[in-house]
Amino acid sequence: MKSSRPDMPSITSASSIAGASEAGKTPLLEEARQKLLQIEAELDAARERLELTLEAAGAASSWDWDISANLLSGDARFAALVGVDPLDLKSGVPTRHFFSSIHQEDVQRIRLAVAGILAGAEIFSKEYRLLKRDGGIRWVRAEGRGIADEDEEPIRFVGTLVDITDQRLAQERLRIAQEAGGIGTFEHVAGFATVNVSDQLCRLFGLHPTKVLPIQTLNNLIHEGDPPIIDLARPDGPQSIADREFRITRADDSKVRWLAQRGEYVEVGQGGRRYIGVLYDVTDTKASQEQLREANLALAERARGSMRERNRMWQNSRDLFLVLNASGDIKDVNPVWREILGSPSRLALGNSIIDFTWPEDKAAMMEAIKVTSRGGRNDFELRVRHADGSPRWISWRTSQEDKIIYGFGRDVTLEREQAETLKDTEAQLRQSQKMEAVGQLTGGIAHDFNNMLTGIIGALAILRRRISARRLDDIDRFIDAATSSAHRAASLTHRLLAFSRRQSLDRQAVDVNNLVNSMEDLLHRTLGEQISLSVVVHPETCCAFTDANQLENAILNLAINARDAMPKGGRLIIAAENVVLTKADISRNEEVKPGRYVMISVSDTGTGMTAETIAKAFDPFFTTKPIGQGTGLGLSMIYGFAQQSGGHARIRSELGLGTTVKLYLPNGADAEQVNAASTPRETGALMGDGEIVLVVEDDSTVRLLMVDVLKELGYQTIEAEDGEHALPIIESSQHLDLVVSDVGLPGMNGRQLAEMAMGHRPGLRVLFVTGYAATAASRADFLAPGMDMITKPFAMDDLARKVRVILTRQ
């Protein structure tokens, strides 16, 4: 870089010194090169600081354009704004540098303006954008003029440049704020019949946006009788009311709007005057003010009416109105006091409400007054003493305002008496319904059990006579008849326990899809050829937490019911899927909780049911089948099984369109954690190997049969009729391999006995036998490791198999 100033020595650039250093390789040249690089770095830093300082100062810069020499010079501020080296600009640079930093979108406009100066124009005034070296944009305002010689030829172009970025940003923010707030601005200079206006002001009047409007154009849109924006007709000069509101009719849609005008006069120059004002729409505000005025008038009228109504209510109300002080003293009371409490209302004035309260309720009344006096509203029912000495129940509502308590009391004595009567009546009705249900239940059980007992007793009597007469040729059919009746009795008992939710369930995670698919062949054989079977199971159906065997029985019973409802054939659909029951899905009388369930549905195209039949379908012993063809416990058993499993059952049916029964069972474990429902029956050799078994059973007949079977199988047996007799054997040194115990023993139950036995003999196995026990309703909760269960009635082979399995199980 070279300076042309005479007072500055020529400075050789670092690059030229570097070249010399490479050529000569002298230490002196290398030292000079390094020093020059340091000077240039310091100079660049100084220029940067100068640029920032000038930028912060915001002062005007100046330029001088020598037209004849085509050179541009200027001060340091100008150099910083246009991005030219101030040392170069001091001595002059080509005039193209004037345009080098101007924003591309503004260059052409500024070139045309400068061309006008070079062509002889005198004034230059423009605002435009400059691009900074860091990519930023600055707004500047340039003011200049051309200077001509004696022949009026332009020789110089001089001017100033000012950074107005902050002003432009402020103006833009103000414009956005005005438009967002619906504010229009205008300015009038005295001596002119026009006003400078903003776009938003034009929008307020319904005019196309422009910069200048005749005053009369705006005044013509103002309602007659409202003063103009600017009054040019006043003899003392144009006048404008600084703050006012007026109506206009918009030019574009003829709508009447209210505008508010705010502004002030500014003195300029000698005797000059300028008015600066703003306008904004206040139509909604005026409408609200009018509505408020009308509302106030209406409120005043209502207040007068309310006072009249209050007086009528006070005099005629059938409820007590009291005004109390904070201590509970009665300041005023309405006339109904006499009707409710039997004494003149004037006798209550000045006395405490506590004095009229029933003795047992006085403490509660005092507490209620304290709560209300602290500013709370209080609702309560307490008794007040009648003049004849009897109590009256009053439902009170109290509130406090300005240390005054207002009480409203309604006599509910009759209502409470009626409620007590209704309560007693409902209790009697429930007892009657319970007795009716018990009668229906016992009648049905007696009918069915009498039939079954007749078959058993009659067959045994015939067997006794035949054996006595040594006629053994056809006794098998009587044995089969007795066995069949006994099985029917066991099935009836099982259904009763299922209905009452007292059967013992072996609940575990059951793969519903596998279970339903495994039943398909059985269902085909059961339904016959006239009925088409479809199994639709969703592949993502979760496991159900339930008893697999009971679920199989439930599905089979539902399929049989569907078959009987389609005597001429039809279609049966068994489906399974995951569902979620929300509170909205559950009716008020349904005993099921919201949550995730596995839903198994059995749908048929049979005869369907009426609404009355559906309402009774789950009732015990209710059946639509002829006498002798059904016990009426099928659906009630299914309902009880679903409820005991923690789920629910529903029926949807229409006459002639078929029936759908849905079972909702709790969502269980994942499929890979399931003991599949199709687990094979436990098999193996039934004979024992001399193991010692303690049999604890309070029923002597059952105990006799179990002991006899176990002895025949090769086991050694010890008998005990209850826990009290079994405990000394357990605590003795007698060797025991297994304890077979009834759950429902008198005194100490079987579960308690088992805990004591396993405590004395760790590793001892226990097999429970149960006909019914509420504590054993869920096997998963009842059984501990080393325990198993068999349900009465059972075949002796099943008992032998259970004993063999539990003794050989690892």
Side-chain angles (χ1 to χ4, degrees), residues 553-613:
N553 290 336
I555 295 174
L556 183 59
N557 276 319
L558 290 175
I560 293 172
N561 283 350
R563 179 199 63 189
D564 295 343
M566 298 183 288
K568 296 181 181 180
R571 186 182 181 192
L572 180 68
I573 302 173
I574 300 179
E577 62 178 325
N578 300 322
V579 297
V580 176
L581 294 181
T582 64
K583 288 184 178 180
D585 300 324
I586 302 171
S587 62
R588 185 175 59 182
N589 58 347
E590 288 188 306
E591 300 179 17
V592 61
K593 297 179 180 179
R596 298 189 306 133
Y597 292 88
V598 176
M599 189 270 290
I600 302 101
S601 65
V602 179
S603 305
D604 64 62
T605 57
T607 56
M609 293 185 281
T610 64
E612 293 78 9
T613 302

Side-chain angles (χ1 to χ4, degrees), residues 223-252:
H223 271 218
E224 185 177 356
D226 290 355
I229 291 180
I230 303 293
D231 189 356
L232 299 176
R234 288 178 61 95
D236 54 347
Q239 296 292 323
S240 174
I241 299 175
D243 298 327
R244 69 190 186 96
E245 294 175 352
F246 56 89
R247 293 162 295 169
I248 66 165
T249 301
R250 286 174 55 93
D252 56 351

Side-chain angles (χ1 to χ4, degrees), residues 107 110 217 362 500 536 657 673 744 752 757 797:
V107 168
I110 302 305
T217 299
K362 286 188 175 183
S500 63
V536 182
L657 298 179
Q673 298 172 324
Q752 294 169 333
D797 285 348

Side-chain angles (χ1 to χ4, degrees), residues 515-583:
L515 185 144
V516 173
N517 288 328
S518 68
M519 293 182 66
E520 193 167 354
D521 290 340
L522 172 63
L523 292 172
H524 274 299
R525 292 193 300 270
T526 303
L527 297 174
E529 296 180 356
Q530 287 185 307
I531 297 175
S532 170
L533 174 64
S534 298
V535 176
V536 182
V537 291
H538 196 280
E540 296 182 359
T541 302
C542 294
C543 301
F545 190 65
T546 186
D547 187 310
N549 292 327
Q550 300 303 328
L551 179 56
E552 280 186 349
N553 290 336
I555 295 174
L556 183 59
N557 276 319
L558 290 175
I560 293 172
N561 283 350
R563 179 199 63 189
D564 295 343
M566 298 183 288
K568 296 181 181 180
R571 186 182 181 192
L572 180 68
I573 302 173
I574 300 179
E577 62 178 325
N578 300 322
V579 297
V580 176
L581 294 181
T582 64
K583 288 184 178 180

Side-chain angles (χ1 to χ4, degrees), residues 184-197:
T185 60
F186 68 98
E187 182 178 350
H188 172 255
V189 179
F192 294 89
T194 59
V195 286
N196 297 322
V197 295

Side-chain angles (χ1 to χ4, degrees), residues 658-677:
T659 301
T660 297
V661 180
K662 295 182 178 180
L663 297 181
Y664 297 88
L665 300 175
N667 201 298
D670 295 332
E672 58 267 19
Q673 298 172 324
V674 177
N675 293 325

Side-chain angles (χ1 to χ4, degrees), residues 13-183:
S13 68
S15 59
S16 60
I17 295 178
S21 177
E22 288 295 326
K25 303 292 183 179
T26 63
L28 180 61
L29 287 177
E30 178 61 23
E31 181 181 354
R33 187 181 72 85
Q34 292 296 333
K35 190 170 187 62
L36 184 57
L37 288 174
Q38 181 181 355
I39 293 172
E40 287 183 345
E42 292 175 354
L43 182 59
D44 288 341
R47 288 171 181 166
E48 183 68 22
R49 288 194 298 272
L50 175 62
E51 181 177 342
L52 293 174
T53 302
L54 295 175
E55 199 171 287
S61 62
S62 62
W63 81 81
D64 189 338
W65 183 325
D66 187 340
I67 297 175
S68 59
N70 199 24
L71 288 176
L72 176 70
S73 60
D75 58 17
R77 292 187 183 90
F78 182 80
L81 285 172
V82 300
V84 179
D85 192 305
L87 296 179
D88 291 342
L89 196 62
K90 188 72 174 177
S91 58
V93 296
T95 54
R96 67 175 182 274
H97 288 286
F98 188 88
F99 307 100
S100 60
S101 60
I102 298 177
H103 194 282
Q104 185 177 358
E105 296 177 4
D106 297 340
V107 168
Q108 188 62 30
R109 177 169 57 88
I110 302 305
R111 283 188 180 278
L112 290 174
V114 171
I117 293 294
L118 300 180
E122 188 173 346
I123 302 299
F124 177 86
S125 179
K126 294 294 177 181
E127 292 183 1
Y128 54 90
R129 290 164 291 180
L130 294 177
L131 287 173
K132 298 183 63 180
R133 283 185 301 221
D134 60 1
I137 295 176
R138 307 295 295 181
W139 276 93
V140 295
R141 182 172 62 248
E143 301 283 350
R145 60 176 299 168
I147 301 175
D149 58 11
E150 295 178 353
D151 298 329
E152 297 185 356
E153 289 294 327
I155 58 174
R156 290 175 61 204
F157 172 32
V158 297
T160 60
L161 193 66
V162 180
D163 189 325
I164 60 169
T165 304
D166 293 339
Q167 298 175 27
R168 292 285 299 210
L169 290 176
Q171 290 172 357
E172 183 64 17
R173 286 195 292 269
L174 177 61
R175 182 190 65 79
I176 293 172
Q178 289 175 346
E179 291 188 0
I183 299 174

